[in-house]
């Protein structure tokens, strides 16, 4: 028998080793730290020490070092049993102090027993063996244990097979007990195996809590456990009396003590009884007993040894289960502690991150941050404060923020600020402070009072934004919102305000005002030839010259691209107005040096006078605009005063424009057709489509009124498209009705050719209507050829390629350039009615007509004479070779229904 000392600061670890080694014959000692262990070693001289490393007071490493330093104790064998260090570190510590064997926590029971036996052999002591007749259970892991107790041989068989059967049953039980982690499973396994091994007819098992008194589990086999439950802890009778028995009890039926054992009636009482306490060297775990029926063989010494072995294995298994549960609880606690520690570490890292982030924000923000203590002495400023104020942190520290005051805000302002901080804990507003260089600047500031948990004031924090740039931007924005960005003159909005003020002043003083609306003539030519930069430079120079002419109380403004206005606030009579207008026109007409060129432009001026031409800004501007329009129509580079009839005409044009925009959708437009007839026999050879407008409100509107309006407003494009489509549809409808197949001529405006859409519109109209291209004729004026000739030539070529005929209308009234006739591929010339009207009385008109016909014959062009109204005109044109005539002599323009009748007749009779 050897003496073994177990050293560990954790009782559960000591209990586990004591339980495991308790079945050997060794003497066991225990200590909870190195200092106590050293005293026990000196007193009892153990053969083997199993020690933890990390312990309070004196750790295992120091304990072994002191052991080795004592000559009498230096040879004591030691096993390190630790879970704190890594295996490599533990082995290094062991070698440094002469320890040869290391076990890590937790270790397998077999590994521990193997290590203990090996060390005892080296120490010269005999290894321990359990007192049971069977070998100890082999240690297995939970995963190696069988899921259910296998069938075992009959342990109550003949003597020659009884021992082997019992050993097999005991081994199977040990294998399963090692893997049990619940007390119910452990008890069930034990009762099943123990009943077979001891051939018992009934048995009961009671297991205590750790306090060794309270019943944790009570089970029985062969009778109801509730029968013995009331007496489980009764010391005066069975089975409770077993806990005080130091040895097992073997009782026969005649023994009086057996009579105290509860037994179910009317069954006979047991004939034999074997009972004992379940304990190890340290702990009482409970009790168990086995009974046999009357007449059965009594329990003997062999049964007693087997029962002791069963009790020992049960005690180990139960202690292991308790230790496992303790370990599980510790592990759960460690997991909770680890989780809590991880959360605390994460919270600490988050707090550090937030502090670092706050520091970065404090240092990098563009707003000035200043912190003071409760007495308003500066304790911290950020770099933005230094940049904005010009004061370094060292210069600002310890000062009161009032050293930044500019003096622009009085003491009452600051009293109100401190009152707000005292009552509400914060203040927001605009402060005017002074930089270190003396510059006064505005700041938008937010100040907050900081208090601790007890509500005590501890600090003030202010965050300020420098508003200097913002104020400057606002001022610039205000200026730009009221001034022209190019010329810096007042814009329309500011001029309107000033005009209202001037009208109010003039009305109260009884004086008159003059408004001179100026247009820079043909500015587009400068932009197109020299570029918009040159045009902008010219406008700036015009603005400068107009400003020099204006008096100190006058206003010059730019209203739009090339339009300026001069408001004369002190003009006593018309002569003063005329003088100013002429000075303005002369100033504009002076050469303007632009990009190395002397550019000359002129100005047109429209004038309105308050109160004669209007009482409000809108009336005066409208009147001046009407006067300007008339001046531009009748010749530029001059001025014109407003007259009442100008306004009437402007209103009429406005009404026409409004109604014209709605005319197409309301079907107010219609086509009339005037036939083109043969001179000799009056046959209808073609027709011209002429647009007519009948307004429900205004009646019949002359084309000479609404066609120029349509060209001026851009409405000529949708109207012209409609005319082409409608003419093609109508001609195709007549042809489908069996009428004569003759071409229809359509007038196309120069604006349509300038837009470049004529070929596409014609192609779409022909495709939609199904009309052949040879029955459509496009009439154009000389103005088409005077614009972008290359673009016009391309469009005309595309029309010719479709098969559409081209005619030049009103020939002789414009430039009548022969170059146009040679360059553009035309099919027909139309002599204007201005020459036809006087052809019989005016030799010059007759000569022009005769020359035109001769020119057309030379160019292989057909000729049509327009405006033929008399027989004399017809006869004269026939004599000089004009074969096709058109005019009221034959027919006025007819609506489609009447033109149909004329086509049915096929000729016009005179």
């Amino acid at each position: 028998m050897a003496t073994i000392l177990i050293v560990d600061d954790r009782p559960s670890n000591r209990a586990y080793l004591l339980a495991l080694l308790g079945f050997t014959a060794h003497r066991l000692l225990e200590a909870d730290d190195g200092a106590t262990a050293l005293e026990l070693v000196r007193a009892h001289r153990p053969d083997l020490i199993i020690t933890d490393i990390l312990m309070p007071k004196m750790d295992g490493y120091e304990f072994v070092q002191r052991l080795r330093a004592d000559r009498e104790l230096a040879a004591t064998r030691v096993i390190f049993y630790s879970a704190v260090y890594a295996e490599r570190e533990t082995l290094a510590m062991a070698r440094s102090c002469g320890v040869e064997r290391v076990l890590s926590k937790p270790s397998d029971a077999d590994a521990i027993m193997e290590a203990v036996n090996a060390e005892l052999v080296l120490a010269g002591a005999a290894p321990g063996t359990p007192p049971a007749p069977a070998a100890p259970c082999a240690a297995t892991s939970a995963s190696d244990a069988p899921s259910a107790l296998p069938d075992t041989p009959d342990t109550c068989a003949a003597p020659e097979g009884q021992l082997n059967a019992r050993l097999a049953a005991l081994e199977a039980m040990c294998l399963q007990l090692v893997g049990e982690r619940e007390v119910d499973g452990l008890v069930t396994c034990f009762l099943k195996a123990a009943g077979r091994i001891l051939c018992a007819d009934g048995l009961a098992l009671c297991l205590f809590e750790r306090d060794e008194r309270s019943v944790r589990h009570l089970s029985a086999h062969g009778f109801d456990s509730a029968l013995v439950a009331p007496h489980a802890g009764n010391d005066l009778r069975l089975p409770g009396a077993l806990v005080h028995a130091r040895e097992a009890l073997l009782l026969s039926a005649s023994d009086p003590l057996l009579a105290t054992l509860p037994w179910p009636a009317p069954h006979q009482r047991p004939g034999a009884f074997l009972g004992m306490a379940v304990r190890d060297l340290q702990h009482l775990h409970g009790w168990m007993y086995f009974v046999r029926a009357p007449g059965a063989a009594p329990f003997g010494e062999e049964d007693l040894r087997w029962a002791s072995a069963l009790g020992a294995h049960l005690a180990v298994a139960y202690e292991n289960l308790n230790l496992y549960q303790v370990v599980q609880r510790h592990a759960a606690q460690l997991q909770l502690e680890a989780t809590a520690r991880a959360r605390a570490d994460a919270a600490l890292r988050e707090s550090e991150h937030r502090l670092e982030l706050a520091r970065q924000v404090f240092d990098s923000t563009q707003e000035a941050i200043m912190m003071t203590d409760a007495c308003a002495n500066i304790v911290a400023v950020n770099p933005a404060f230094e940049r904005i104020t010009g004061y370094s942190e060292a210069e600002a520290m310890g000062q009161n923020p009032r050293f930044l005051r500019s003096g622009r805000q009085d003491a009452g302002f600051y009293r109100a600020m401190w009152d707000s901080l005292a009552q509400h804990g914060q203040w927001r507003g605009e402060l005017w402070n002074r930089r270190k260089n003396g510059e006064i600047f505005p700041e938008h500031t937010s100040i907050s009072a900081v208090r601790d948990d007890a509500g005590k004031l501890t600090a003030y924090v202010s965050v300020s934004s420098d508003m200097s740039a913002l104020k400057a931007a606002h001022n610039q924005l205000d200026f730009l919102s009221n001034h022209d960005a190019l010329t810096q003159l007042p814009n329309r909005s500011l001029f309107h305000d000033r005009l209202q003020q001037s009208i109010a002043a003039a009305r109260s003083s009884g004086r008159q005002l003059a408004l001179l609306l100026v247009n820079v003539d043909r500015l587009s030519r400068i932009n197109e030839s020299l570029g918009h930069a040159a045009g902008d430079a010219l406008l700036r120079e015009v603005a400068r010259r107009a400003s020099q002419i204006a008096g100190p109380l006058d206003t010059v403004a730019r209203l739009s691209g090339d339009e300026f206005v001069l408001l004369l606030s002190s003009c006593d009579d018309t002569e003063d107005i005329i003088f100013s207008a002429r000075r303005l026109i002369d100033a504009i007409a002076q050469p303007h040096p632009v990009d190395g060129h002397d550019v000359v432009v002129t100005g047109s001026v429209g004038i309105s006078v308050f109160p004669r031409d209007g009482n409000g800004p809108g009336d005066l501007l409208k009147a001046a605009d009407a006067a300007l329009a008339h001046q531009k129509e009748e010749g530029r580079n001059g001025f014109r005063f407003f007259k009442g009839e100008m306004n009437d005409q402007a209103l009429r044009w406005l009404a026409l424009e409004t109604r014209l925009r709605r005319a197409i959708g309301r079907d107010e437009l219609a086509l009339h057709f005037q036939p083109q007839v043969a001179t000799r026999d009056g046959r209808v050879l073609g027709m011209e489509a002429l647009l007519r407008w009948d307004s429900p409100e205004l009646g019949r509107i002359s084309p000479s009124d609404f066609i120029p309006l349509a060209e001026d407003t851009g409405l000529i494009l949708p109207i012209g498209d409609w005319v082409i489509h409608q003419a093609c549809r109508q001609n195709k409808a007549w042809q489908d009705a069996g009428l004569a197949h003759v071409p229809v001529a359509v007038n196309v405006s120069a604006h349509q050719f300038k837009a470049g859409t004529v070929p596409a519109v014609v192609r779409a109209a022909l495709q939609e209507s199904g009309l052949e291209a040879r029955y459509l004729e496009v009439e154009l004026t000389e103005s088409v050829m005077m614009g972008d000739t290359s673009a016009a030539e391309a469009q005309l070529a595309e029309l010719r390629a479709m098969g559409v005929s081209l005619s030049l209308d009103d020939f002789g009234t414009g430039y009548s350039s022969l170059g146009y006739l040679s360059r553009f591929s035309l099919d027909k010339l139309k002599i204007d009615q201005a020459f036809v009207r006087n052809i019989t009385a005016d030799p010059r008109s007759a000569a022009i007509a005769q020359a035109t016909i001769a020119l057309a014959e030379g160019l292989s062009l057909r000729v049509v004479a327009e405006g033929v109204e008399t027989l004399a005109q017809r006869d004269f044109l026939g004599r000089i070779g004009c074969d096709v005539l058109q005019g009221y002599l034959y027919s006025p323009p007819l609506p489609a229904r009447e033109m149909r009748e004329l086509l049915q007749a096929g000729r016009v009779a005179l």
Side-chain angles (χ1 to χ4, degrees), residues 480-714:
L480 291 177
S481 65
N482 291 294
H483 291 77
D484 174 52
L486 178 65
T487 63
Q488 307 301 306
L489 293 177
N491 60 12
R492 183 180 293 273
S493 175
L494 181 57
F495 175 76
H496 189 275
D497 290 341
R498 292 188 180 179
L499 180 56
Q500 280 187 319
Q501 296 173 10
S502 298
I503 289 174
R507 185 179 288 115
S508 61
S509 63
R511 294 185 303 169
Q512 66 177 6
L513 301 174
L515 194 151
L516 282 64
L517 191 60
V518 186
N519 182 263
V520 180
D521 298 331
R522 298 185 176 90
L523 177 66
S524 59
R525 289 191 305 173
I526 306 299
N527 291 330
E528 292 170 359
S529 58
L530 301 180
H532 286 277
D536 291 345
L538 182 109
L539 289 172
R540 284 193 291 268
E541 180 60 20
V542 170
R544 186 188 66 81
R545 295 180 185 181
S547 299
Q548 289 179 339
I549 293 173
L553 301 179
D554 300 336
T555 298
V556 179
R558 183 186 179 203
L559 301 185
S560 62
D562 57 358
E563 197 169 73
F564 296 83
V565 63
L566 170 60
L567 173 62
L568 301 177
S569 57
S570 57
C571 48
D572 297 331
D573 53 33
T574 304
E575 293 300 324
D576 292 338
I577 300 173
I578 294 174
F579 176 72
S580 296
R582 285 175 175 168
R583 285 186 62 199
L584 184 58
I585 293 172
D586 292 341
I588 295 174
Q590 295 299 315
H592 299 263
V594 177
D595 292 340
H597 299 83
D598 284 339
V599 177
V600 177
V601 294
T602 59
S604 300
V605 180
I607 304 171
S608 62
V609 178
F610 172 84
R612 184 190 68 192
D613 300 327
N615 290 319
D619 295 336
L620 292 176
L621 281 170
K622 183 173 65 174
D625 191 53
L628 175 62
H630 277 266
Q631 175 60 40
K632 292 172 69 175
E633 288 176 1
E634 297 187 8
R636 302 170 187 268
N637 195 25
F639 64 89
R640 182 175 295 272
F641 282 89
F642 173 75
K643 296 180 181 178
E645 54 268 24
M646 295 180 182
N647 188 51
D648 295 339
Q649 184 176 354
L651 290 175
R652 183 173 181 274
W653 274 77
L654 180 61
L656 279 178
E657 179 183 351
T658 302
R659 288 169 172 81
L660 183 58
R661 290 183 182 278
R662 298 178 300 198
I664 298 178
R666 294 182 174 183
D667 293 329
E668 296 177 8
L669 299 180
L671 290 184
H672 285 203
F673 301 88
Q674 189 171 32
Q676 297 172 347
V677 301
T679 305
R680 288 183 298 177
D681 55 11
R683 284 183 301 108
V684 177
L685 302 178
M687 54 190 161
E688 180 179 2
L690 300 170
L691 184 62
R692 295 294 183 263
W693 179 20
D694 290 317
S695 170
E697 298 91 353
L698 305 177
R700 173 67 62 89
I701 313 281
S702 171
S704 61
D705 286 337
F706 73 82
I707 294 297
L709 177 61
E711 291 180 334
D712 187 55
T713 58

Side-chain angles (χ1 to χ4, degrees), residues 365-370 382 384-385 387-389 404 427 429-431 433 441-447 461-467:
T365 184
Q366 299 300 307
E367 285 76 22
I369 301 177
M370 177 176 61
N382 70 338
F385 176 91
R387 175 176 49 80
I388 292 173
T389 65
L404 296 172
W427 177 87
E430 186 175 300
L431 288 174
N433 284 334
F441 69 101
E443 281 187 314
H444 182 77
T445 303
S446 174
I447 306 176
V461 178
S462 74
V463 180
S464 303
S465 300
D466 186 356
M467 298 177 62

Side-chain angles (χ1 to χ4, degrees), residues 334-413:
L334 288 174
Q335 182 64 36
L336 291 175
E337 293 175 359
T339 303
R341 187 178 298 110
R343 289 176 179 173
D345 291 343
L348 179 60
R349 288 193 298 271
E350 179 66 19
S351 177
E352 292 173 349
H353 173 70
R354 289 185 178 182
L355 287 175
E356 176 61 20
L357 185 61
R359 184 193 65 77
Q360 293 178 1
V361 171
F362 184 81
D363 290 343
S364 62
T365 184
Q366 299 300 307
E367 285 76 22
I369 301 177
M370 177 176 61
M371 300 179 64
T372 73
D373 57 20
C375 298
N377 298 314
I378 298 175
V379 296
V381 296
N382 70 338
F385 176 91
E386 298 177 308
R387 175 176 49 80
I388 292 173
T389 65
Y391 290 99
S392 66
E393 183 179 18
E395 292 172 319
M397 291 291 287
Q399 294 208 55
N400 189 287
R402 68 171 62 94
F403 83 101
L404 296 172
R405 287 185 182 179
S406 65
R408 179 172 291 190
Q409 289 153 319
D410 58 16
F413 171 85

Side-chain angles (χ1 to χ4, degrees), residues 187 191 202-206 217-228 287 289:
V187 169
L191 291 177
L203 65 158
L205 173 64
C206 178
H217 191 93
L218 177 61
S219 291
H221 180 70
F223 54 89
D224 189 358
S225 62
L227 188 67
V228 297
W287 51 257
Y289 70 84

Side-chain angles (χ1 to χ4, degrees), residues 176-198:
Q176 189 162 353
L177 288 183
V178 169
E180 288 295 340
R181 292 294 180 261
E182 297 294 336
V183 67
D184 291 342
L186 183 141
V187 169
T188 300
C189 173
F190 178 81
L191 291 177
K192 184 177 181 181
R196 291 177 179 176
I197 291 172
L198 293 177

